[in-house]
Amino acid sequence: MKTFTKKLLGTMAFSALMAGSAMATECEVTHWWTSGGEAAAVAEFAKAFDATGNKWVDGAIAGSGGVARPIMIGRITGGDPMCATQFNHGRQAEELVEAGLMQDLTELAEKEGWRDVVHPSSLLDSCTLDGRIYCVPVNIHSWQWLWLSRQAFEDAGVDVPTNWDEFVAAAPALQAAGKIPLAMGNQAWQASGAFGVITVALGGIDLWTKINVDKDGDAAAGPEMAKVFNAAAAAREFRKNSNVQDWNQATNLVITGKAGGQIMGDWAQGEFQVAGQVAGEDYECLPGLGVNQVISTGGDAFYFPKLDDPEKTKAQLELASLMLSKPVQVNFNLKKGSLPVRGDVDLAAANDCMKKGLAILADGNILPDGNQTLSPDTTGQIEDLMTEFWSDDSITAEDAQARYAEIIANAD
């Protein structure tokens, strides 16, 4: 009798397990997080979502956002939508929302009080169209950083710079020691991003705002912007011989001491972490190039395409809620190197560089990311120009500035 009872209980337990498995909803999530640090971060999302009884189906797309976004958009508009998809904060999904292809998250956001916890509020504003919320912001990524290899500067016999002028002055010593002063991959968004950081650091926030927010063509053509272009023309001499394509390959040049520095967003921290390097010991970081300490509020948000499946729609809302929950915000952002969008989480485990970013954020020294102010078309034009400018010495600073000013004057 006991044997029969054990078998019966075992059968019931197995049946319950199978029933639970059958009820698990698969949710394909597309994103472009494929580097070592990024993969470690996205695994935190997957682990938390799987713990709800649902199943994260990873849809990583190799390459940058510029490669992944057209694929994502094509699937959504072509009738093959995923469960959730990454975009950057800003206007990248605007047309998809206007076409009625994205889930409205307003009810969930109001129920959970997203407006009360998301900081700065501009991140949720970027998810909002006509008063309705269509995405969940998950992090703050700022472009405004210069990452420095202590090993490279020690090998070159010079002090680690504390600002951009000292970095420029140290470049000849780095070159003499066989180092690449400035690592940069051969992708359009890297060239454009580095130029944007130089603009903020050397031109100032007011100049950046006139150009990127007000679309002031005269400011883009003016003498203050000429100083920025001249500085960028000098800097392009420092990036020669990088001979890498992807941003994380350029970061690796810094990690291994082959390059002195890299202008890159704080997602680079994930790569330093995976390599076992410690901020303040193995590498240094200069927000705002050590000149204008500011955090730009770029980063990532997730949208949820409309699906004709009530169970998957339910899973979408569960995932959206989970991404903004306190423990997931902490675990994900510590791995990603980004700042959390919640202002009420404990980040005692943050490293020195993340603490610098948190202090700047707390002081309110922030500006929007270019993706929040410029259309994808304008952004694409600037990226094309910067690709040419950084790779071709025959394009003078004056010629590049004239083309840039025309793009800004006609920006939408």
mmCIF file with all atom_site columns, all heavy atoms in Angstrom, residues 283-296:
data_model
loop_
_atom_site.group_PDB
_atom_site.id
_atom_site.type_symbol
_atom_site.label_atom_id
_atom_site.label_alt_id
_atom_site.label_comp_id
_atom_site.label_asym_id
_atom_site.label_entity_id
_atom_site.label_seq_id
_atom_site.pdbx_PDB_ins_code
_atom_site.Cartn_x
_atom_site.Cartn_y
_atom_site.Cartn_z
_atom_site.occupancy
_atom_site.B_iso_or_equiv
_atom_site.pdbx_formal_charge
_atom_site.auth_seq_id
_atom_site.auth_comp_id
_atom_site.auth_asym_id
_atom_site.auth_atom_id
_atom_site.pdbx_PDB_model_num
ATOM 1   N N   . TYR A 1 283 ? 42.401 50.861 -13.842 1.00 0.00 ? 283 TYR A N   1
ATOM 2   C CA  . TYR A 1 283 ? 41.970 51.858 -14.820 1.00 0.00 ? 283 TYR A CA  1
ATOM 3   C C   . TYR A 1 283 ? 41.359 53.059 -14.112 1.00 0.00 ? 283 TYR A C   1
ATOM 4   O O   . TYR A 1 283 ? 40.951 52.972 -12.947 1.00 0.00 ? 283 TYR A O   1
ATOM 5   C CB  . TYR A 1 283 ? 40.968 51.265 -15.813 1.00 0.00 ? 283 TYR A CB  1
ATOM 6   C CG  . TYR A 1 283 ? 39.620 50.877 -15.234 1.00 0.00 ? 283 TYR A CG  1
ATOM 7   C CD1 . TYR A 1 283 ? 38.527 51.737 -15.337 1.00 0.00 ? 283 TYR A CD1 1
ATOM 8   C CD2 . TYR A 1 283 ? 39.423 49.652 -14.602 1.00 0.00 ? 283 TYR A CD2 1
ATOM 9   C CE1 . TYR A 1 283 ? 37.286 51.388 -14.819 1.00 0.00 ? 283 TYR A CE1 1
ATOM 10  C CE2 . TYR A 1 283 ? 38.185 49.295 -14.090 1.00 0.00 ? 283 TYR A CE2 1
ATOM 11  C CZ  . TYR A 1 283 ? 37.120 50.168 -14.202 1.00 0.00 ? 283 TYR A CZ  1
ATOM 12  O OH  . TYR A 1 283 ? 35.890 49.815 -13.689 1.00 0.00 ? 283 TYR A OH  1
ATOM 13  N N   . GLU A 1 284 ? 41.346 54.178 -14.816 1.00 0.00 ? 284 GLU A N   1
ATOM 14  C CA  . GLU A 1 284 ? 40.765 55.411 -14.299 1.00 0.00 ? 284 GLU A CA  1
ATOM 15  C C   . GLU A 1 284 ? 39.653 55.870 -15.243 1.00 0.00 ? 284 GLU A C   1
ATOM 16  O O   . GLU A 1 284 ? 39.586 55.436 -16.399 1.00 0.00 ? 284 GLU A O   1
ATOM 17  C CB  . GLU A 1 284 ? 41.827 56.515 -14.174 1.00 0.00 ? 284 GLU A CB  1
ATOM 18  C CG  . GLU A 1 284 ? 42.982 56.185 -13.248 1.00 0.00 ? 284 GLU A CG  1
ATOM 19  C CD  . GLU A 1 284 ? 42.562 56.127 -11.787 1.00 0.00 ? 284 GLU A CD  1
ATOM 20  O OE1 . GLU A 1 284 ? 41.482 56.653 -11.451 1.00 0.00 ? 284 GLU A OE1 1
ATOM 21  O OE2 . GLU A 1 284 ? 43.340 55.565 -10.982 1.00 0.00 ? 284 GLU A OE2 1
ATOM 22  N N   . CYS A 1 285 ? 38.825 56.758 -14.746 1.00 0.00 ? 285 CYS A N   1
ATOM 23  C CA  . CYS A 1 285 ? 37.727 57.252 -15.567 1.00 0.00 ? 285 CYS A CA  1
ATOM 24  C C   . CYS A 1 285 ? 37.576 58.750 -15.363 1.00 0.00 ? 285 CYS A C   1
ATOM 25  O O   . CYS A 1 285 ? 37.659 59.247 -14.237 1.00 0.00 ? 285 CYS A O   1
ATOM 26  C CB  . CYS A 1 285 ? 36.429 56.530 -15.210 1.00 0.00 ? 285 CYS A CB  1
ATOM 27  S SG  . CYS A 1 285 ? 36.039 56.557 -13.440 1.00 0.00 ? 285 CYS A SG  1
ATOM 28  N N   . LEU A 1 286 ? 37.362 59.462 -16.459 1.00 0.00 ? 286 LEU A N   1
ATOM 29  C CA  . LEU A 1 286 ? 37.196 60.910 -16.407 1.00 0.00 ? 286 LEU A CA  1
ATOM 30  C C   . LEU A 1 286 ? 35.838 61.282 -16.983 1.00 0.00 ? 286 LEU A C   1
ATOM 31  O O   . LEU A 1 286 ? 35.667 61.339 -18.207 1.00 0.00 ? 286 LEU A O   1
ATOM 32  C CB  . LEU A 1 286 ? 38.303 61.615 -17.187 1.00 0.00 ? 286 LEU A CB  1
ATOM 33  C CG  . LEU A 1 286 ? 39.739 61.432 -16.701 1.00 0.00 ? 286 LEU A CG  1
ATOM 34  C CD1 . LEU A 1 286 ? 40.692 62.223 -17.584 1.00 0.00 ? 286 LEU A CD1 1
ATOM 35  C CD2 . LEU A 1 286 ? 39.882 61.856 -15.246 1.00 0.00 ? 286 LEU A CD2 1
ATOM 36  N N   . PRO A 1 287 ? 34.836 61.531 -16.141 1.00 0.00 ? 287 PRO A N   1
ATOM 37  C CA  . PRO A 1 287 ? 33.551 62.001 -16.672 1.00 0.00 ? 287 PRO A CA  1
ATOM 38  C C   . PRO A 1 287 ? 33.725 63.387 -17.287 1.00 0.00 ? 287 PRO A C   1
ATOM 39  O O   . PRO A 1 287 ? 34.449 64.229 -16.746 1.00 0.00 ? 287 PRO A O   1
ATOM 40  C CB  . PRO A 1 287 ? 32.653 62.042 -15.434 1.00 0.00 ? 287 PRO A CB  1
ATOM 41  C CG  . PRO A 1 287 ? 33.588 62.137 -14.265 1.00 0.00 ? 287 PRO A CG  1
ATOM 42  C CD  . PRO A 1 287 ? 34.832 61.422 -14.679 1.00 0.00 ? 287 PRO A CD  1
ATOM 43  N N   . GLY A 1 288 ? 33.106 63.592 -18.443 1.00 0.00 ? 288 GLY A N   1
ATOM 44  C CA  . GLY A 1 288 ? 33.241 64.882 -19.107 1.00 0.00 ? 288 GLY A CA  1
ATOM 45  C C   . GLY A 1 288 ? 34.658 65.202 -19.510 1.00 0.00 ? 288 GLY A C   1
ATOM 46  O O   . GLY A 1 288 ? 35.037 66.368 -19.613 1.00 0.00 ? 288 GLY A O   1
ATOM 47  N N   . LEU A 1 289 ? 35.464 64.144 -19.757 1.00 0.00 ? 289 LEU A N   1
ATOM 48  C CA  . LEU A 1 289 ? 36.880 64.288 -20.112 1.00 0.00 ? 289 LEU A CA  1
ATOM 49  C C   . LEU A 1 289 ? 37.649 65.062 -19.042 1.00 0.00 ? 289 LEU A C   1
ATOM 50  O O   . LEU A 1 289 ? 38.705 65.640 -19.310 1.00 0.00 ? 289 LEU A O   1
ATOM 51  C CB  . LEU A 1 289 ? 37.049 64.977 -21.478 1.00 0.00 ? 289 LEU A CB  1
ATOM 52  C CG  . LEU A 1 289 ? 36.301 64.357 -22.664 1.00 0.00 ? 289 LEU A CG  1
ATOM 53  C CD1 . LEU A 1 289 ? 36.695 65.051 -23.962 1.00 0.00 ? 289 LEU A CD1 1
ATOM 54  C CD2 . LEU A 1 289 ? 36.566 62.863 -22.772 1.00 0.00 ? 289 LEU A CD2 1
ATOM 55  N N   . GLY A 1 290 ? 37.110 65.085 -17.808 1.00 0.00 ? 290 GLY A N   1
ATOM 56  C CA  . GLY A 1 290 ? 37.766 65.805 -16.732 1.00 0.00 ? 290 GLY A CA  1
ATOM 57  C C   . GLY A 1 290 ? 37.610 67.304 -16.843 1.00 0.00 ? 290 GLY A C   1
ATOM 58  O O   . GLY A 1 290 ? 38.273 68.053 -16.116 1.00 0.00 ? 290 GLY A O   1
ATOM 59  N N   . VAL A 1 291 ? 36.737 67.761 -17.729 1.00 0.00 ? 291 VAL A N   1
ATOM 60  C CA  . VAL A 1 291 ? 36.557 69.201 -17.961 1.00 0.00 ? 291 VAL A CA  1
ATOM 61  C C   . VAL A 1 291 ? 35.168 69.646 -17.518 1.00 0.00 ? 291 VAL A C   1
ATOM 62  O O   . VAL A 1 291 ? 35.015 70.423 -16.574 1.00 0.00 ? 291 VAL A O   1
ATOM 63  C CB  . VAL A 1 291 ? 36.778 69.559 -19.449 1.00 0.00 ? 291 VAL A CB  1
ATOM 64  C CG1 . VAL A 1 291 ? 36.644 71.071 -19.654 1.00 0.00 ? 291 VAL A CG1 1
ATOM 65  C CG2 . VAL A 1 291 ? 38.125 69.057 -19.930 1.00 0.00 ? 291 VAL A CG2 1
ATOM 66  N N   . ASN A 1 292 ? 34.140 69.164 -18.194 1.00 0.00 ? 292 ASN A N   1
ATOM 67  C CA  . ASN A 1 292 ? 32.754 69.431 -17.818 1.00 0.00 ? 292 ASN A CA  1
ATOM 68  C C   . ASN A 1 292 ? 32.135 68.135 -17.305 1.00 0.00 ? 292 ASN A C   1
ATOM 69  O O   . ASN A 1 292 ? 31.754 67.265 -18.097 1.00 0.00 ? 292 ASN A O   1
ATOM 70  C CB  . ASN A 1 292 ? 31.950 69.949 -19.016 1.00 0.00 ? 292 ASN A CB  1
ATOM 71  C CG  . ASN A 1 292 ? 32.021 71.458 -19.162 1.00 0.00 ? 292 ASN A CG  1
ATOM 72  O OD1 . ASN A 1 292 ? 31.948 72.174 -18.182 1.00 0.00 ? 292 ASN A OD1 1
ATOM 73  N ND2 . ASN A 1 292 ? 32.163 71.932 -20.389 1.00 0.00 ? 292 ASN A ND2 1
ATOM 74  N N   . GLN A 1 293 ? 32.055 67.992 -16.007 1.00 0.00 ? 293 GLN A N   1
ATOM 75  C CA  . GLN A 1 293 ? 31.538 66.752 -15.438 1.00 0.00 ? 293 GLN A CA  1
ATOM 76  C C   . GLN A 1 293 ? 30.015 66.746 -15.519 1.00 0.00 ? 293 GLN A C   1
ATOM 77  O O   . GLN A 1 293 ? 29.333 67.441 -14.768 1.00 0.00 ? 293 GLN A O   1
ATOM 78  C CB  . GLN A 1 293 ? 32.014 66.590 -13.995 1.00 0.00 ? 293 GLN A CB  1
ATOM 79  C CG  . GLN A 1 293 ? 33.510 66.396 -13.888 1.00 0.00 ? 293 GLN A CG  1
ATOM 80  C CD  . GLN A 1 293 ? 33.923 65.781 -12.563 1.00 0.00 ? 293 GLN A CD  1
ATOM 81  O OE1 . GLN A 1 293 ? 33.106 65.405 -11.751 1.00 0.00 ? 293 GLN A OE1 1
ATOM 82  N NE2 . GLN A 1 293 ? 35.231 65.678 -12.356 1.00 0.00 ? 293 GLN A NE2 1
ATOM 83  N N   . VAL A 1 294 ? 29.527 65.939 -16.432 1.00 0.00 ? 294 VAL A N   1
ATOM 84  C CA  . VAL A 1 294 ? 28.097 65.892 -16.699 1.00 0.00 ? 294 VAL A CA  1
ATOM 85  C C   . VAL A 1 294 ? 27.724 64.473 -17.101 1.00 0.00 ? 294 VAL A C   1
ATOM 86  O O   . VAL A 1 294 ? 28.566 63.719 -17.601 1.00 0.00 ? 294 VAL A O   1
ATOM 87  C CB  . VAL A 1 294 ? 27.733 66.900 -17.821 1.00 0.00 ? 294 VAL A CB  1
ATOM 88  C CG1 . VAL A 1 294 ? 28.385 66.518 -19.133 1.00 0.00 ? 294 VAL A CG1 1
ATOM 89  C CG2 . VAL A 1 294 ? 26.220 67.011 -18.005 1.00 0.00 ? 294 VAL A CG2 1
ATOM 90  N N   . ILE A 1 295 ? 26.499 64.095 -16.851 1.00 0.00 ? 295 ILE A N   1
ATOM 91  C CA  . ILE A 1 295 ? 25.988 62.789 -17.255 1.00 0.00 ? 295 ILE A CA  1
ATOM 92  C C   . ILE A 1 295 ? 24.902 63.001 -18.298 1.00 0.00 ? 295 ILE A C   1
ATOM 93  O O   . ILE A 1 295 ? 23.961 63.767 -18.066 1.00 0.00 ? 295 ILE A O   1
ATOM 94  C CB  . ILE A 1 295 ? 25.395 62.019 -16.045 1.00 0.00 ? 295 ILE A CB  1
ATOM 95  C CG1 . ILE A 1 295 ? 26.501 61.600 -15.086 1.00 0.00 ? 295 ILE A CG1 1
ATOM 96  C CG2 . ILE A 1 295 ? 24.593 60.805 -16.507 1.00 0.00 ? 295 ILE A CG2 1
ATOM 97  C CD1 . ILE A 1 295 ? 27.466 60.570 -15.632 1.00 0.00 ? 295 ILE A CD1 1
ATOM 98  N N   . SER A 1 296 ? 25.036 62.371 -19.436 1.00 0.00 ? 296 SER A N   1
ATOM 99  C CA  . SER A 1 296 ? 23.959 62.398 -20.426 1.00 0.00 ? 296 SER A CA  1
ATOM 100 C C   . SER A 1 296 ? 23.035 61.226 -20.145 1.00 0.00 ? 296 SER A C   1
ATOM 101 O O   . SER A 1 296 ? 23.491 60.131 -19.801 1.00 0.00 ? 296 SER A O   1
ATOM 102 C CB  . SER A 1 296 ? 24.512 62.322 -21.852 1.00 0.00 ? 296 SER A CB  1
ATOM 103 O OG  . SER A 1 296 ? 25.335 61.185 -22.027 1.00 0.00 ? 296 SER A OG  1
#
